[in-house]
Amino acid sequence: ADGAGLYAQCAGCHGADGGKAALGAARPLKGQTADALYGKLKGYADGSYGGSKKAVMAGIAKKLSDEDMRALAAHMASF
Ligand code: HEM
Protein backbone atom coordinates (compact mmCIF):
# COMPACT_ATOMS: atom_id res chain seq x y z
CA ALA A 1 0.00 0.00 0.00
CA ASP A 2 1.05 3.58 -0.65
CA GLY A 3 1.47 5.22 2.75
CA ALA A 4 1.89 8.74 1.41
CA GLY A 5 -1.18 8.37 -0.78
CA LEU A 6 -3.27 6.99 2.08
CA TYR A 7 -2.11 9.82 4.34
CA ALA A 8 -3.82 12.37 2.08
CA GLN A 9 -7.09 11.56 3.94
CA CYS A 10 -5.41 12.33 7.29
CA ALA A 11 -3.49 15.52 6.52
CA GLY A 12 -6.46 17.86 6.87
CA CYS A 13 -6.70 17.13 10.59
CA HIS A 14 -3.14 16.04 11.44
CA GLY A 15 -1.20 18.39 9.15
CA ALA A 16 0.90 17.53 6.11
CA ASP A 17 3.87 16.82 8.41
CA GLY A 18 1.90 15.32 11.32
CA GLY A 19 2.62 18.35 13.48
CA LYS A 20 -0.95 19.50 14.19
CA ALA A 21 -3.06 18.59 17.20
CA ALA A 22 -6.04 17.21 15.24
CA LEU A 23 -9.34 18.78 16.41
CA GLY A 24 -7.35 20.24 19.31
CA ALA A 25 -7.22 16.79 20.87
CA ALA A 26 -4.57 14.57 19.29
CA ARG A 27 -0.93 14.26 20.23
CA PRO A 28 1.24 15.15 17.25
CA LEU A 29 2.06 12.17 15.04
CA LYS A 30 5.42 13.69 14.22
CA GLY A 31 8.25 12.17 16.23
CA GLN A 32 6.52 8.86 16.99
CA THR A 33 7.85 5.47 15.92
CA ALA A 34 6.15 3.27 13.33
CA ASP A 35 5.50 0.60 15.99
CA ALA A 36 3.78 3.10 18.28
CA LEU A 37 1.67 4.57 15.48
CA TYR A 38 0.66 1.15 14.16
CA GLY A 39 -0.31 0.05 17.67
CA LYS A 40 -2.50 3.12 18.12
CA LEU A 41 -4.32 2.54 14.81
CA LYS A 42 -4.97 -1.08 15.82
CA GLY A 43 -6.15 0.16 19.21
CA TYR A 44 -8.63 2.61 17.69
CA ALA A 45 -9.99 -0.16 15.46
CA ASP A 46 -10.48 -2.61 18.36
CA GLY A 47 -11.47 -0.01 20.98
CA SER A 48 -8.44 -0.53 23.26
CA TYR A 49 -6.87 2.90 22.67
CA GLY A 50 -7.98 6.50 22.59
CA GLY A 51 -9.01 9.65 24.40
CA SER A 52 -12.12 11.83 24.45
CA LYS A 53 -12.34 11.96 20.65
CA LYS A 54 -11.52 8.35 19.93
CA ALA A 55 -14.81 7.82 18.09
CA VAL A 56 -13.48 10.00 15.26
CA MET A 57 -10.45 7.76 14.80
CA ALA A 58 -12.32 4.51 15.39
CA GLY A 59 -14.51 5.23 12.38
CA ILE A 60 -11.43 5.88 10.26
CA ALA A 61 -9.28 3.01 11.57
CA LYS A 62 -12.02 0.41 11.06
CA LYS A 63 -11.90 1.11 7.33
CA LEU A 64 -8.14 0.52 7.09
CA SER A 65 -6.68 -2.90 6.32
CA ASP A 66 -3.74 -4.19 8.36
CA GLU A 67 -1.51 -3.53 5.35
CA ASP A 68 -2.82 0.06 5.09
CA MET A 69 -2.07 0.61 8.80
CA ARG A 70 1.49 -0.63 8.37
CA ALA A 71 2.07 1.58 5.31
CA LEU A 72 0.57 4.61 7.08
CA ALA A 73 2.66 3.98 10.20
CA ALA A 74 5.87 3.79 8.15
CA HIS A 75 4.96 7.00 6.35
CA MET A 76 4.07 8.90 9.54
CA ALA A 77 7.30 7.74 11.23
CA SER A 78 9.21 9.51 8.45
CA PHE A 79 7.91 12.99 9.37
C1 HEM B 1 -5.54 10.57 16.81
C2 HEM B 1 -3.75 8.64 12.73
C3 HEM B 1 -7.29 10.82 10.18
C4 HEM B 1 -8.59 13.27 14.13
C5 HEM B 1 -4.74 9.86 15.92
C6 HEM B 1 -3.61 9.02 16.29
C7 HEM B 1 -3.13 8.48 15.15
C8 HEM B 1 -3.93 8.98 14.05
C9 HEM B 1 -1.96 7.51 15.02
C10 HEM B 1 -3.10 8.79 17.71
C11 HEM B 1 -2.17 9.93 18.15
C12 HEM B 1 -1.61 9.65 19.54
O1 HEM B 1 -2.40 9.44 20.48
O2 HEM B 1 -0.38 9.59 19.68
C13 HEM B 1 -4.60 9.03 11.70
C14 HEM B 1 -4.53 8.49 10.35
C15 HEM B 1 -5.54 9.07 9.64
C16 HEM B 1 -6.23 9.99 10.53
C17 HEM B 1 -3.50 7.48 9.87
C18 HEM B 1 -5.99 8.81 8.22
C19 HEM B 1 -6.11 7.51 7.75
C20 HEM B 1 -7.89 11.73 11.00
C21 HEM B 1 -8.91 12.68 10.60
C22 HEM B 1 -9.28 13.38 11.72
C23 HEM B 1 -8.49 12.86 12.82
C24 HEM B 1 -9.43 12.85 9.16
C25 HEM B 1 -10.29 14.50 11.86
C26 HEM B 1 -11.56 14.36 11.34
C27 HEM B 1 -7.94 12.69 15.20
C28 HEM B 1 -8.24 12.99 16.60
C29 HEM B 1 -7.39 12.18 17.37
C30 HEM B 1 -6.55 11.44 16.44
C31 HEM B 1 -9.27 13.98 17.11
C32 HEM B 1 -7.38 12.05 18.89
C33 HEM B 1 -8.51 11.05 19.24
C34 HEM B 1 -8.52 10.62 20.70
O3 HEM B 1 -9.14 11.34 21.52
O4 HEM B 1 -7.91 9.56 21.02
N1 HEM B 1 -4.89 9.82 14.55
N2 HEM B 1 -5.62 9.92 11.76
N3 HEM B 1 -7.65 11.87 12.35
N4 HEM B 1 -6.93 11.74 15.15
FE1 HEM B 1 -6.28 10.83 13.47
Side-chain angles (χ1 to χ4, degrees):
D2 170 14
L6 286 164
Y7 188 75
Q9 67 187 300
C10 323
C13 289
H14 288 280
D17 69 349
K20 269 173 66 176
L23 306 184
R27 294 188 187 96
L29 307 176
K30 189 181 176 78
Q32 299 198 40
T33 65
D35 278 357
L37 292 160
Y38 171 76
K40 289 174 181 184
L41 290 176
K42 287 300 248 197
Y44 281 124
D46 71 17
S48 64
Y49 180 76
S52 60
K53 297 200 172 150
K54 66 181 179 184
V56 175
M57 280 307 304
I60 292 167
K62 282 178 182 153
K63 291 183 204 145
L64 298 171
S65 67
D66 188 65
E67 191 195 346
D68 288 346
M69 289 185 191
R70 290 194 188 279
L72 278 162
H75 177 71
M76 295 186 286
S78 75
F79 291 144

